Amino acid sequence: MTRWTTVAQKEIRSFFTGRTPKIGVGLVALVFVFGGYITPTTVENPAAMDVTIADLDRFLRGIVVFLVPLFGLLLGYRAVVGEREGGQLALVLSSPISRADVVLGKTLGRGLILTTTITAGTLGAAALVDYPFGTVALDTLVIFLVTTVLYGVVFLTIGIGLSTLTASMRRATILTFGVFFLLVVAWPGLEGYILDALQYVNLAGDALPDWARFVYGAEPTLLYQRVMDAFVADVNTGAYLGSSAPWYLGGGTAVVLLVAWAALPVLGGYVRFRRADL
Amino acid sequence: MFIAVYIERSLVTPAIRTREVTKRFGSLTAVDRVNLTVEEGEVFGFLGHNGAGKSTMINMLLGFNRPTTGSIEVFGHDTQTNSVKARKRMGVLPEGYSVFSGLTGRQHVNFAMEAKDVDGESLDYLDRVGITEAADRDADGYSKGMAQRLVLAMALVGDPDLLILDEPTSGLDPAGAKAIREIILAENERGATVFFSSHILEQIEAVADRVGIMHQGQLTAVDTIDGLREMAGGETKLLITIDESTEPTPEMVQAADGVATQKGDLKEETTSHLAIINSIELVEKAWVEEEGQYGLTCAKDDKMDILVALHDLGVDVLDFTTEEPSLEDLFVEYTRGSA
């Protein structure tokens, strides 16, 4: 057994000590299942129209882009700083375990919790979509599942990244709240302001230039929406996915960027944490 | 000459070697240019008040903190760049830890065994520290003393070459403190180097081969306990009560007088007994304490010889007490002035 699996194992055990985490995880899974239960009723004539994962996506999207980031951040933001402040980290690092083992083990342990939760919820939802009225195509289901898990992992690693940056739980909480507000609440509404700003400095005409659209659209929630639009909802219009848009605004690039988001925050946090005084 | 130096260096890697280690937190200098070498196989006591820099020093040994300047090596591994390698040979009881929530005592030891790649039975370790019966309870519910024993058990996993124990007896009752001392001695017997800190002098006095005194970030003194005593002018004081009803014979007094005169002691209101006591060569100074009781000073190891000599001279010693300067006295001595 490697050292980071030792950490991951301990992490999972410790996580489920209290009742709150169990309830939290259960609720998240239930929301997905509930979505699967409701979805057929949102389709006009479910007996004639095949209910699919695309319908589930359409119904759940607005909830997912709020719930999954919150879940990921809550799962991650205490991971390192909580044990650093509480003193468990001193005990972990008294063994020949490196700080990389700690960050990797925690990310994997909590990543596993997140993956299991979303997978259980999605599979439950898919079963309710499939029966009695619909059909679930395996490829769409896999894309829905993998993208949603990846989306959750992005916020999990952002949370863990933030938890490695500071030695104070309070500061980590404030940072996490700030990130949630910026990325989940504020960002989707910023397009107009960015356009105004660019027009003011004569960098934009009537619409955002492609490079600005790329930068603006490289935010996790917008990326998730684009991947789902491209590969689950089969959207092929609009500034990003339309036929005249450049390739780098497409769904494939969005997948790559989302993967980068899943890795970079925690790596950045680790680089700071590696040499920090505990 | 050069060869000799080379051989010495390659054969004897000290367990701990620090060079000019300084640690500043903002404007506070927590550790100030500390040079310390702990050889393999010794029990080293690290003594100082709370806030003297002991824990900062230990945290740097563990790689938790990085020295501002200077370097620290554990078995030749730099603790900044090679902390994991250094910790592979260590067993650690850190300061300010908490046990893992949701894990039993047994699972804690298993964690340490997995991290150190050690096979075996976790219960053996819990046995050694005396918390076997709590093995399958959540460690969250342990008392401070039990948690301390549990973490010591984790430190003992894999027979480490170096035990680093930060205030190991804090939170323990006297029986627990004694158990820890016995474990320290047993581990040392096995061949482990032990480095432990304490602000309680008796703890260190009981087990340490050498003592380092940390005061306001500086390593004020490093020596054996006896050496420290001697350096602080520590002489043993012996108080003896003698049966004065048996007068010494005039010959003995005469003989004793001769010696006493040679020693150059002027006897103003001397009694014959005082003269005899003074005649013993090992006695540095003697005086009348009260009726039937005499005081004398001597070197620590000479106490018994003096008592035997008195007996041989026909003096009937009814009772005796010794007063040695405590480490507390030494400590006050060493840390006075700068405080």
Side-chain angles (χ1 to χ4, degrees), chain B residues 265-281:
Chain B
D265 286 348
L266 281 176
K267 18 174 198 147
E268 285 158 16
E269 47 157 320
T270 184
T271 67
S272 49
H273 280 104
L274 187 59
I276 290 179
I277 293 169
N278 248 327
S279 73
I280 298 167
E281 223 170 313

Side-chain angles (χ1 to χ4, degrees), chain A residues 191-202:
Chain A
E191 191 173 355
Y193 295 102
I194 293 174
L195 180 60
D196 286 348
L198 287 180
Q199 280 170 341
Y200 187 74
V201 293
N202 281 327

Side-chain angles (χ1 to χ4, degrees), chain B residues 50-87:
Chain B
N50 292 329
K54 300 188 306 279
S55 286
T56 308
M57 197 64 200
I58 288 181
N59 285 342
M60 287 191 285
L61 284 176
L62 301 176
F64 292 1
N65 287 354
R66 308 170 69 78
T68 310
T69 58
S71 70
I72 304 180
E73 286 175 9
V74 173
F75 295 116
H77 301 296
D78 188 302
T79 56
Q80 292 188 59
T81 55
N82 241 335
S83 167
V84 172
K85 266 198 181 144
R87 275 183 279 138

Side-chain angles (χ1 to χ4, degrees), chain A residues 162-239:
Chain A
L162 292 175
S163 85
T164 55
L165 280 186
T166 161
S168 127
M169 195 63 227
R170 202 172 54 91
R171 218 172 294 166
T173 311
I174 293 168
L175 275 174
T176 306
F177 183 78
V179 165
F180 181 77
F181 181 79
L182 176 69
L183 293 187
V184 179
V185 181
W187 195 268
L190 284 184
E191 191 173 355
Y193 295 102
I194 293 174
L195 180 60
D196 286 348
L198 287 180
Q199 280 170 341
Y200 187 74
V201 293
N202 281 327
L203 278 170
D206 292 342
L208 280 179
D210 286 340
W211 66 265
R213 204 168 279 290
F214 175 80
V215 173
Y216 171 72
E219 183 273 339
T221 297
L222 295 181
L223 289 171
Y224 172 74
Q225 306 229 39
R226 207 175 324 145
V227 174
M228 296 302 267
D229 280 347
F231 300 114
V232 174
D234 283 327
V235 173
N236 46 23
T237 54

Side-chain angles (χ1 to χ4, degrees), chain A residues 14-28:
Chain A
S14 283
F15 181 79
F16 287 109
T17 332
R19 200 182 290 166
T20 321
K22 285 179 200 156
I23 293 174
V25 162
L27 278 180
V28 170

Side-chain angles (χ1 to χ4, degrees), chain A residues 104-129:
Chain A
L104 187 61
K106 281 176 177 290
T107 307
L108 285 170
R110 294 185 185 226
L112 197 65
I113 294 169
L114 178 124
T115 306
T116 311
T117 308
I118 293 180
T119 304
T122 304
L123 292 183
L128 290 172
V129 167

Side-chain angles (χ1 to χ4, degrees), chain A residues 1 23 25 39 41 53 93 105 120 124 126 145 189 197 208 260:
Chain A
M1 188 124 50
I23 293 174
V25 162
T39 298
T41 69
I53 292 294
L93 290 176
L145 180 59
L208 280 179

